[in-house]
Amino acid sequence: LESGALSAIDGAKTMDDLEKIRLQYLGKKGELTQILKGLGKLSKEERPVVGSFANEVREKVQGKLEEKIVNLKESVYEAQMEDEYLDVTLDAGKLRVGHRHPLLKTKEELEDLFVEMGFTVVDGPEIESVANNFDALNSPKNHPSRDKSDTFYIDDKTLLRTHTSPMQIRAMKEYGAPLRIVSSGRVFRFDDVDDTHSPMFHQFEGLVVDKGVSLANLIDTLNVFVKEMFGDDMQIRYRPHNFPFTEPSTEVDVTCLVCHGEGCPACNHTGWSMELLGAGVVHPNVLRNCGIDPDVYSGFAFGMGIDRIAMVKYGITDIRLMFENDDRFLSQF
Ligand code: PHE
């Protein structure tokens, strides 16, 4: 009995096992308890011999049990420590810091620059009315940009704005003249994706309306902007263009930043960056459509692709990189 009890205790793996063993031997109906209870039935000579022997065994078993309980508790604790082991001296590796997206950086730079020149930043919706996006901007009903193959229409009267110019209308209607605002955001056109085109891109729009504002003010403002944004060496080229909402209108190119005007694949070997910017003197009809008297006030407006500005500024040759969020690209900024 003794050796059975002791080896059972040795083999116990859990507190539950131990408790079963305790009950088996030392419980009220336990084997040893039964022997001790049965002492009375023995003869006078046998009683002290068996009694003291049984007590000895009980003490051994009891002692062994207690020892085992301590052991078990210890090994449970050890296992737990092993499990939750944390080496505070281990090298945690470099903390990875996020990067600002080149588009966001460019947008903020543009905003800072124009805010310094006295412009106010305003914000507007990407889902726009046909009235604001085309009609109020003096766009003829048959203008190709209205075509369903160029523009994402939501219904007859609503579309995804194709440029940020409707913000001119919103601003003039809300604040009247005089006015100096910039506004930026996403615009949408039904373009196939290639290295310079994406059906979603970003524009930055500016509008000044005041008494006596002229084309000279526009050119001066844009010259300052280009030098501030890209540096003093940057050449600027104004090409005549046509927009329904400005007259006269111009498109602006700057020196290719990749080759500095030498000619390279990034600028199609022209030495000039892709057209960065459209601009012009606000058409009197547009002022009129917004309740501003063109005999008193005049204005200039410009719109540029933020994506293209960022591409020129950072020498990025593929617009798709801007929207793929590849960490190898983003972490360079
Ligand atoms: N909205 C024109 C475009 O998207 C740019 C522009 C803005 C031109 C303001 C003139 C004045 O191409």
Side-chain angles (χ1 to χ4, degrees):
L1 187 142
E2 181 188 332
S3 63
L6 293 183
S7 72
I9 292 171
D10 262 337
K13 296 224 166 51
T14 64
M15 290 297 189
D16 282 353
D17 292 349
L18 275 185
E19 180 60 9
K20 273 181 203 145
I21 294 163
R22 193 186 67 79
L23 287 171
Q24 188 188 342
Y25 293 100
L26 305 177
K28 269 188 189 147
K29 290 181 178 156
E31 292 177 27
L32 218 76
T33 315
Q34 293 302 319
I35 290 171
L36 287 163
K37 273 186 185 165
L39 282 179
K41 287 176 194 147
L42 296 176
S43 65
K44 265 184 196 153
E45 296 77 34
E46 283 174 315
R47 212 179 289 161
V49 182
V50 176
S52 72
F53 183 64
N55 269 324
E56 229 171 80
V57 171
R58 197 184 61 163
E59 261 160 43
K60 272 192 202 158
V61 172
Q62 186 81 44
K64 182 84 178 170
L65 257 177
E66 275 159 19
E67 193 182 300
K68 184 72 182 181
I69 286 173
V70 173
N71 277 347
L72 257 186
K73 277 189 181 157
E74 240 164 47
S75 62
V76 165
Y77 179 69
E78 263 162 31
Q80 199 179 344
M81 290 305 282
E82 192 76 30
D83 218 35
E84 296 171 4
Y85 177 69
L86 190 74
D87 184 351
V88 292
T89 68
L90 262 186
D91 183 358
K94 280 218 182 69
L95 205 70
R96 280 168 47 83
V97 180
H99 295 263
R100 292 173 90 56
H101 196 283
L103 279 178
L104 183 59
K105 279 176 74 164
T106 306
K107 179 195 117 150
E108 288 176 350
E109 246 177 275
L110 287 167
E111 282 179 355
D112 287 350
L113 220 150
F114 281 98
V115 164
E116 231 173 90
M117 291 197 260
F119 288 72
T120 306
V121 180
V122 298
D123 216 0
E126 291 167 1
I127 295 174
E128 188 50 282
S129 65
V130 173
N132 283 344
N133 194 88
F134 290 127
D135 301 340
L137 284 166
N138 200 37
S139 157
K141 290 282 181 217
N142 61 355
H143 196 275
S145 64
R146 289 185 183 246
D147 210 282
K148 284 199 164 55
S149 62
D150 286 322
T151 298
F152 294 104
Y153 282 91
I154 291 166
D155 56 39
D156 287 349
K157 291 190 167 136
T158 347
L159 43 68
L160 297 182
R161 65 178 176 189
T162 60
H163 50 180
T164 42
S165 297
M167 285 310 295
Q168 295 183 30
I169 306 301
R170 286 178 177 271
M172 282 190 276
K173 284 195 168 161
E174 188 163 346
Y175 306 112
L179 176 83
R180 236 186 276 187
I181 58 104
V182 288
S183 186
S184 63
R186 292 198 280 192
V187 303
F188 306 84
R189 289 182 199 175
F190 218 114
D191 272 330
D192 284 332
V193 178
D194 65 25
D195 52 350
T196 56
H197 292 88
S198 159
M200 183 281 293
F201 57 102
H202 301 78
Q203 277 190 340
F204 187 91
E205 189 87 10
L207 170 69
V208 173
V209 179
D210 209 334
K211 288 175 180 160
V213 171
S214 69
L215 182 68
N217 299 131
L218 167 66
I219 290 177
D220 188 53
T221 305
L222 293 181
N223 284 350
V224 169
F225 150 70
V226 169
K227 302 281 183 204
E228 288 284 332
M229 195 69 189
F230 302 108
D232 283 339
D233 300 340
M234 192 60 101
Q235 298 296 308
I236 308 166
R237 177 169 80 168
Y238 290 88
R239 280 183 290 108
H241 199 71
N242 177 51
F243 296 109
F245 33 93
T246 47
E247 181 58 38
S249 304
T250 176
E251 265 191 343
V252 180
D253 305 325
V254 294
T255 322
C256 173
L257 266 200
V258 178
C259 63
H260 304 281
E262 301 282 312
C264 74
C267 59
N268 263 331
H269 305 283
T270 60
W272 294 96
S273 69
M274 326 157 266
E275 75 274 5
L276 268 196
L277 200 145
V281 173
V282 180
H283 196 289
N285 284 348
V286 175
L287 294 175
R288 229 172 264 127
N289 289 340
C290 300
I292 293 172
D293 184 352
D295 293 329
V296 180
Y297 287 102
S298 57
F300 68 78
F302 55 87
M304 56 187 98
I306 303 180
D307 317 76
R308 289 194 171 177
I309 304 267
M311 288 169 80
V312 171
K313 188 154 175 90
Y314 296 111
I316 300 162
T317 50
D318 193 331
I319 195 172
R320 289 168 288 203
L321 287 167
M322 302 277 205
F323 310 126
E324 284 169 353
N325 282 340
D326 188 323
D327 197 46
R328 288 167 298 182
F329 172 74
L330 294 180
S331 61
Q332 295 177 44
F333 299 92

